[in-house]
Amino acid sequence: MKLPTLREVGTEAKLLLIGIPVFIWTMIPIYHMFVFAISPKEDAFTGKLWPTHPTLHNFSIVFHQQHYFLRDFWIQFWNSTVIALAVGALTLFVATAAAFSISRLRVPGGRAVMNMALFTYFIPAAFLAVPMYRTMGSYGLLNNHWSLILAMVTIAAPYAIWVLKQASDKLPVELDEAATMDGATTLQLFRLVYVPLMMPSLVAVGTYAILLAWNEYLYAFLLLSKDTDITLPVALGNFLAADDSPWELLMTTGFIYALPPAAVYYAFKRYMVGGLTAGAVKS
Protein backbone atom coordinates (compact mmCIF):
# COMPACT_ATOMS: atom_id res chain seq x y z
CA MET A 1 0.00 0.00 0.00
CA LYS A 2 1.46 3.29 -1.12
CA LEU A 3 1.51 5.99 1.53
CA PRO A 4 0.55 9.51 0.47
CA THR A 5 3.43 11.90 0.07
CA LEU A 6 3.81 15.02 2.18
CA ARG A 7 2.92 17.14 -0.85
CA GLU A 8 -0.30 15.18 -1.45
CA VAL A 9 -1.26 15.51 2.22
CA GLY A 10 -0.58 19.26 2.10
CA THR A 11 -2.70 19.66 -1.04
CA GLU A 12 -5.58 17.74 0.52
CA ALA A 13 -5.33 19.82 3.70
CA LYS A 14 -5.47 23.05 1.67
CA LEU A 15 -8.56 21.82 -0.18
CA LEU A 16 -10.24 20.96 3.12
CA LEU A 17 -9.38 24.37 4.57
CA ILE A 18 -11.05 25.98 1.58
CA GLY A 19 -13.90 23.51 1.15
CA ILE A 20 -15.16 23.33 4.74
CA PRO A 21 -15.75 27.12 5.15
CA VAL A 22 -17.37 27.29 1.70
CA PHE A 23 -19.65 24.38 2.60
CA ILE A 24 -20.64 25.96 5.92
CA TRP A 25 -21.24 29.35 4.26
CA THR A 26 -23.43 27.66 1.63
CA MET A 27 -25.45 25.72 4.18
CA ILE A 28 -26.15 28.67 6.52
CA PRO A 29 -29.09 30.08 4.43
CA ILE A 30 -30.58 26.59 4.05
CA TYR A 31 -30.25 26.01 7.79
CA HIS A 32 -31.96 29.30 8.62
CA MET A 33 -34.73 28.49 6.14
CA PHE A 34 -35.30 25.18 7.89
CA VAL A 35 -35.24 26.83 11.34
CA PHE A 36 -37.87 29.33 10.18
CA ALA A 37 -39.95 26.45 8.79
CA ILE A 38 -40.09 24.59 12.12
CA SER A 39 -40.53 27.71 14.29
CA PRO A 40 -43.86 29.03 15.57
CA LYS A 41 -44.73 32.52 14.32
CA GLU A 42 -43.86 34.14 17.65
CA ASP A 43 -40.42 32.47 17.74
CA ALA A 44 -39.40 33.07 14.12
CA PHE A 45 -37.37 36.23 14.80
CA THR A 46 -35.90 35.43 18.20
CA GLY A 47 -32.47 34.89 16.63
CA LYS A 48 -31.95 31.52 18.29
CA LEU A 49 -29.92 28.85 16.53
CA TRP A 50 -32.68 26.36 17.31
CA PRO A 51 -36.33 27.11 18.18
CA THR A 52 -37.45 26.53 21.76
CA HIS A 53 -40.57 24.71 20.62
CA PRO A 54 -39.95 23.23 17.15
CA THR A 55 -43.11 22.29 15.32
CA LEU A 56 -44.28 20.88 11.99
CA HIS A 57 -47.47 22.95 12.10
CA ASN A 58 -46.20 25.24 9.32
CA PHE A 59 -45.84 22.27 6.99
CA SER A 60 -49.41 21.22 7.81
CA ILE A 61 -50.67 24.73 6.97
CA VAL A 62 -48.86 24.66 3.62
CA PHE A 63 -49.94 21.12 2.67
CA HIS A 64 -53.57 21.82 3.57
CA GLN A 65 -53.52 25.34 2.03
CA GLN A 66 -54.76 26.91 5.26
CA HIS A 67 -53.65 30.46 4.49
CA TYR A 68 -54.80 33.13 2.05
CA PHE A 69 -51.50 33.14 0.12
CA LEU A 70 -51.51 29.33 -0.05
CA ARG A 71 -55.03 28.74 -1.34
CA ASP A 72 -53.66 27.61 -4.75
CA PHE A 73 -50.43 26.02 -3.51
CA TRP A 74 -50.87 22.61 -5.15
CA ILE A 75 -52.11 24.10 -8.44
CA GLN A 76 -49.08 26.39 -8.57
CA PHE A 77 -46.77 23.53 -7.64
CA TRP A 78 -48.30 21.50 -10.48
CA ASN A 79 -47.86 24.44 -12.87
CA SER A 80 -44.15 24.62 -12.00
CA THR A 81 -43.77 20.87 -12.50
CA VAL A 82 -45.54 20.76 -15.87
CA ILE A 83 -43.68 23.80 -17.20
CA ALA A 84 -40.28 22.52 -16.03
CA LEU A 85 -40.81 19.06 -17.57
CA ALA A 86 -42.11 20.57 -20.81
CA VAL A 87 -39.09 22.87 -21.04
CA GLY A 88 -36.75 19.93 -20.41
CA ALA A 89 -38.43 17.78 -23.09
CA LEU A 90 -38.60 20.53 -25.73
CA THR A 91 -35.04 21.68 -25.06
CA LEU A 92 -33.80 18.11 -25.45
CA PHE A 93 -35.71 17.68 -28.70
CA VAL A 94 -34.45 20.93 -30.23
CA ALA A 95 -30.87 20.60 -28.97
CA THR A 96 -30.48 16.92 -29.86
CA ALA A 97 -31.80 17.40 -33.38
CA ALA A 98 -29.65 20.50 -33.91
CA ALA A 99 -26.47 18.90 -32.52
CA PHE A 100 -27.01 15.78 -34.64
CA SER A 101 -27.52 17.87 -37.78
CA ILE A 102 -24.50 20.08 -37.13
CA SER A 103 -22.05 17.46 -35.89
CA ARG A 104 -23.02 14.27 -37.72
CA LEU A 105 -24.87 15.37 -40.86
CA ARG A 106 -22.76 18.52 -41.22
CA VAL A 107 -25.58 20.56 -42.74
CA PRO A 108 -24.40 23.72 -44.52
CA GLY A 109 -24.37 26.74 -42.23
CA GLY A 110 -24.92 24.64 -39.13
CA ARG A 111 -21.91 25.93 -37.24
CA ALA A 112 -22.80 29.51 -38.10
CA VAL A 113 -26.29 28.98 -36.68
CA MET A 114 -24.83 27.51 -33.48
CA ASN A 115 -22.42 30.43 -33.08
CA MET A 116 -25.23 32.92 -33.65
CA ALA A 117 -27.32 31.13 -31.02
CA LEU A 118 -24.46 31.29 -28.52
CA PHE A 119 -24.03 34.98 -29.34
CA THR A 120 -27.42 35.60 -27.71
CA TYR A 121 -25.80 34.93 -24.32
CA PHE A 122 -23.91 38.22 -24.68
CA ILE A 123 -27.27 39.84 -23.97
CA PRO A 124 -28.46 39.29 -20.37
CA ALA A 125 -31.71 37.36 -20.20
CA ALA A 126 -33.28 40.17 -18.15
CA PHE A 127 -32.81 42.57 -21.08
CA LEU A 128 -34.81 40.25 -23.32
CA ALA A 129 -37.75 40.02 -20.91
CA VAL A 130 -39.66 43.02 -22.27
CA PRO A 131 -39.14 42.10 -25.97
CA MET A 132 -40.23 38.55 -25.09
CA TYR A 133 -43.33 39.94 -23.38
CA ARG A 134 -44.14 42.02 -26.46
CA THR A 135 -43.62 39.02 -28.76
CA MET A 136 -45.85 36.73 -26.72
CA GLY A 137 -48.49 39.44 -26.58
CA SER A 138 -48.39 39.79 -30.38
CA TYR A 139 -49.08 36.07 -30.76
CA GLY A 140 -51.79 36.02 -28.09
CA LEU A 141 -49.84 33.78 -25.74
CA LEU A 142 -49.83 35.94 -22.61
CA ASN A 143 -51.28 34.22 -19.52
CA ASN A 144 -50.67 30.92 -21.23
CA HIS A 145 -48.20 28.31 -20.02
CA TRP A 146 -46.85 27.97 -23.53
CA SER A 147 -45.51 31.51 -23.39
CA LEU A 148 -43.24 30.65 -20.46
CA ILE A 149 -42.32 27.25 -21.91
CA LEU A 150 -41.25 28.74 -25.24
CA ALA A 151 -39.39 31.58 -23.54
CA MET A 152 -37.41 29.19 -21.35
CA VAL A 153 -36.62 26.88 -24.29
CA THR A 154 -35.28 29.93 -26.11
CA ILE A 155 -32.95 30.64 -23.19
CA ALA A 156 -31.87 27.04 -22.54
CA ALA A 157 -31.51 25.74 -26.11
CA PRO A 158 -28.31 27.56 -27.26
CA TYR A 159 -26.22 26.25 -24.36
CA ALA A 160 -27.79 22.80 -24.71
CA ILE A 161 -26.94 22.70 -28.42
CA TRP A 162 -23.34 23.68 -27.70
CA VAL A 163 -22.90 21.01 -25.00
CA LEU A 164 -24.43 18.26 -27.12
CA LYS A 165 -22.47 19.32 -30.18
CA GLN A 166 -19.18 19.13 -28.25
CA ALA A 167 -20.09 15.69 -26.93
CA SER A 168 -21.24 14.54 -30.36
CA ASP A 169 -17.91 15.50 -31.92
CA LYS A 170 -16.20 12.90 -29.69
CA LEU A 171 -18.21 10.01 -31.14
CA PRO A 172 -16.24 8.03 -33.77
CA VAL A 173 -17.37 8.77 -37.32
CA GLU A 174 -16.80 5.07 -38.10
CA LEU A 175 -19.97 4.23 -36.17
CA ASP A 176 -22.04 6.31 -38.58
CA GLU A 177 -20.29 4.79 -41.58
CA ALA A 178 -20.81 1.24 -40.32
CA ALA A 179 -24.50 1.85 -39.64
CA THR A 180 -24.96 3.44 -43.08
CA MET A 181 -23.24 0.50 -44.78
CA ASP A 182 -25.62 -1.84 -42.96
CA GLY A 183 -28.53 0.02 -44.53
CA ALA A 184 -29.54 2.32 -41.67
CA THR A 185 -31.50 5.42 -42.61
CA THR A 186 -30.74 8.81 -41.12
CA LEU A 187 -33.61 8.43 -38.66
CA GLN A 188 -32.42 4.96 -37.63
CA LEU A 189 -28.88 6.27 -37.24
CA PHE A 190 -30.22 9.00 -34.97
CA ARG A 191 -32.48 6.72 -32.92
CA LEU A 192 -30.40 3.54 -32.66
CA VAL A 193 -26.82 4.85 -32.64
CA TYR A 194 -26.68 8.53 -31.75
CA VAL A 195 -29.20 8.80 -28.91
CA PRO A 196 -27.99 5.75 -26.89
CA LEU A 197 -24.37 6.90 -27.08
CA MET A 198 -25.32 10.45 -26.09
CA MET A 199 -27.47 9.43 -23.13
CA PRO A 200 -25.21 10.84 -20.34
CA SER A 201 -25.07 14.23 -22.05
CA LEU A 202 -28.81 14.13 -22.78
CA VAL A 203 -29.58 13.49 -19.11
CA ALA A 204 -27.27 16.33 -18.09
CA VAL A 205 -28.80 18.81 -20.55
CA GLY A 206 -32.35 17.76 -19.67
CA THR A 207 -31.63 18.21 -15.96
CA TYR A 208 -30.10 21.63 -16.63
CA ALA A 209 -33.16 22.77 -18.58
CA ILE A 210 -35.59 21.46 -15.95
CA LEU A 211 -33.78 23.20 -13.10
CA LEU A 212 -33.52 26.42 -15.11
CA ALA A 213 -37.28 26.49 -15.71
CA TRP A 214 -38.08 25.36 -12.16
CA ASN A 215 -36.23 28.32 -10.62
CA GLU A 216 -37.32 30.98 -13.12
CA TYR A 217 -39.03 34.04 -11.66
CA LEU A 218 -38.75 37.08 -13.96
CA TYR A 219 -40.28 35.58 -17.11
CA ALA A 220 -42.93 33.75 -15.08
CA PHE A 221 -43.84 37.02 -13.36
CA LEU A 222 -44.16 38.89 -16.67
CA LEU A 223 -45.89 36.27 -18.81
CA LEU A 224 -48.36 34.77 -16.32
CA SER A 225 -50.75 36.67 -14.05
CA LYS A 226 -53.71 34.54 -12.90
CA ASP A 227 -53.26 32.93 -9.48
CA THR A 228 -54.19 29.56 -10.95
CA ASP A 229 -51.69 29.91 -13.81
CA ILE A 230 -48.58 31.29 -12.10
CA THR A 231 -45.70 29.17 -10.90
CA LEU A 232 -44.78 28.80 -7.24
CA PRO A 233 -41.77 31.20 -7.31
CA VAL A 234 -44.11 34.00 -8.38
CA ALA A 235 -46.62 32.99 -5.73
CA LEU A 236 -43.87 33.17 -3.11
CA GLY A 237 -43.30 36.78 -4.09
CA ASN A 238 -46.90 37.56 -3.14
CA PHE A 239 -46.04 36.83 0.49
CA LEU A 240 -44.01 40.05 0.56
CA ALA A 241 -47.02 42.15 -0.45
CA ALA A 242 -48.58 41.88 3.03
CA ASP A 243 -47.84 44.36 5.80
CA ASP A 244 -47.26 41.48 8.21
CA SER A 245 -45.71 38.84 5.98
CA PRO A 246 -45.96 35.26 7.34
CA TRP A 247 -42.23 34.62 7.08
CA GLU A 248 -42.47 31.21 8.69
CA LEU A 249 -44.89 30.07 5.96
CA LEU A 250 -42.80 31.71 3.25
CA MET A 251 -39.72 29.83 4.39
CA THR A 252 -41.66 26.58 4.76
CA THR A 253 -43.01 26.86 1.22
CA GLY A 254 -39.55 27.77 -0.10
CA PHE A 255 -38.02 24.79 1.70
CA ILE A 256 -40.60 22.43 0.20
CA TYR A 257 -40.08 23.94 -3.26
CA ALA A 258 -36.32 23.45 -2.98
CA LEU A 259 -36.58 19.70 -2.31
CA PRO A 260 -37.52 18.44 -5.83
CA PRO A 261 -34.59 20.12 -7.67
CA ALA A 262 -32.22 18.94 -4.94
CA ALA A 263 -33.51 15.39 -5.40
CA VAL A 264 -33.21 15.65 -9.21
CA TYR A 265 -29.67 16.97 -8.97
CA TYR A 266 -28.44 14.29 -6.59
CA ALA A 267 -30.17 11.58 -8.64
CA PHE A 268 -28.37 12.65 -11.82
CA LYS A 269 -25.25 14.40 -10.50
CA ARG A 270 -22.90 11.80 -12.01
CA TYR A 271 -24.44 12.53 -15.40
CA MET A 272 -24.29 16.29 -14.77
CA VAL A 273 -20.52 16.27 -14.28
CA GLY A 274 -19.74 13.86 -17.09
CA GLY A 275 -22.36 15.11 -19.53
CA LEU A 276 -21.74 18.85 -19.22
CA THR A 277 -17.96 18.40 -19.59
CA ALA A 278 -18.14 15.94 -22.47
CA GLY A 279 -16.00 17.20 -25.32
CA ALA A 280 -14.18 19.73 -23.16
CA VAL A 281 -10.91 17.79 -23.51
CA LYS A 282 -9.74 16.16 -26.70
CA SER A 283 -8.29 12.69 -26.38
Side-chain angles (χ1 to χ4, degrees):
M1 180 178 178
K2 182 182 177 181
L3 295 175
T5 64
L6 185 60
R7 183 174 182 178
E8 291 173 342
V9 172
T11 301
E12 185 173 350
K14 291 177 183 177
L15 292 175
L16 287 174
L17 288 175
I18 296 173
I20 292 176
V22 170
F23 174 77
I24 294 174
W25 182 257
T26 304
M27 293 302 296
I28 285 176
I30 300 175
Y31 173 77
H32 281 292
M33 181 186 292
F34 178 71
V35 169
F36 262 92
I38 62 173
S39 297
K41 184 178 180 65
E42 59 275 9
D43 294 342
F45 288 96
T46 58
K48 296 180 180 179
L49 290 177
W50 189 257
T52 306
H53 304 289
T55 176
L56 296 178
H57 182 61
N58 295 329
F59 289 90
S60 176
I61 293 175
V62 174
F63 287 145
H64 293 94
Q65 306 179 124
Q66 295 173 342
H67 192 275
Y68 173 77
F69 290 127
L70 295 167
R71 66 187 185 278
D72 298 312
F73 169 78
W74 288 113
I75 293 176
Q76 293 158 353
F77 191 94
W78 174 251
N79 292 340
S80 296
T81 303
V82 170
I83 289 171
L85 293 177
V87 170
L90 275 177
T91 300
L92 271 179
F93 175 77
V94 171
T96 306
F100 178 74
S101 301
I102 295 170
S103 177
R104 315 308 288 184
L105 301 182
R106 303 188 184 280
V107 295
R111 293 180 183 274
V113 171
M114 185 186 70
N115 292 332
M116 289 175 62
L118 281 177
F119 181 76
T120 60
Y121 282 117
F122 283 95
I123 305 173
F127 290 1
L128 299 175
V130 174
M132 189 72 72
Y133 177 87
R134 180 69 180 273
T135 301
M136 295 302 175
S138 299
Y139 287 100
L141 290 175
L142 289 179
N143 301 319
N144 188 308
H145 286 169
W146 277 108
S147 63
L148 182 57
I149 292 171
L150 294 175
M152 296 312 300
V153 170
T154 302
I155 295 172
Y159 177 69
I161 294 172
W162 180 80
V163 170
L164 293 182
K165 192 266 179 187
Q166 299 303 314
S168 179
D169 286 344
K170 292 188 67 177
L171 300 180
V173 180
E174 291 78 10
L175 293 174
D176 297 5
E177 297 172 349
T180 303
M181 290 180 63
D182 288 339
T185 63
T186 301
L187 186 59
Q188 289 173 328
L189 177 65
F190 175 79
R191 182 169 56 90
L192 300 177
V193 178
Y194 183 77
V195 170
L197 292 174
M198 290 286 291
M199 193 55 66
S201 294
L202 294 179
V203 172
V205 165
T207 304
Y208 156 77
I210 288 173
L211 296 182
L212 182 70
W214 182 267
N215 295 318
E216 177 58 32
Y217 175 81
L218 177 60
Y219 282 84
F221 176 77
L222 287 175
L223 300 175
L224 304 174
S225 59
K226 290 179 60 179
D227 287 343
T228 54
D229 289 335
I230 62 176
T231 58
L232 202 51
V234 178
L236 289 175
N238 294 336
F239 278 80
L240 304 178
D243 294 332
D244 184 20
S245 299
W247 284 94
E248 72 285 356
L249 297 181
L250 173 61
M251 294 300 173
T252 304
T253 309
F255 186 80
I256 295 171
Y257 192 68
L259 293 179
V264 169
Y265 174 78
Y266 280 104
F268 299 111
K269 65 179 180 179
R270 63 192 183 102
Y271 293 105
M272 292 290 288
V273 175
L276 293 177
T277 58
V281 179
K282 291 186 177 180
S283 56

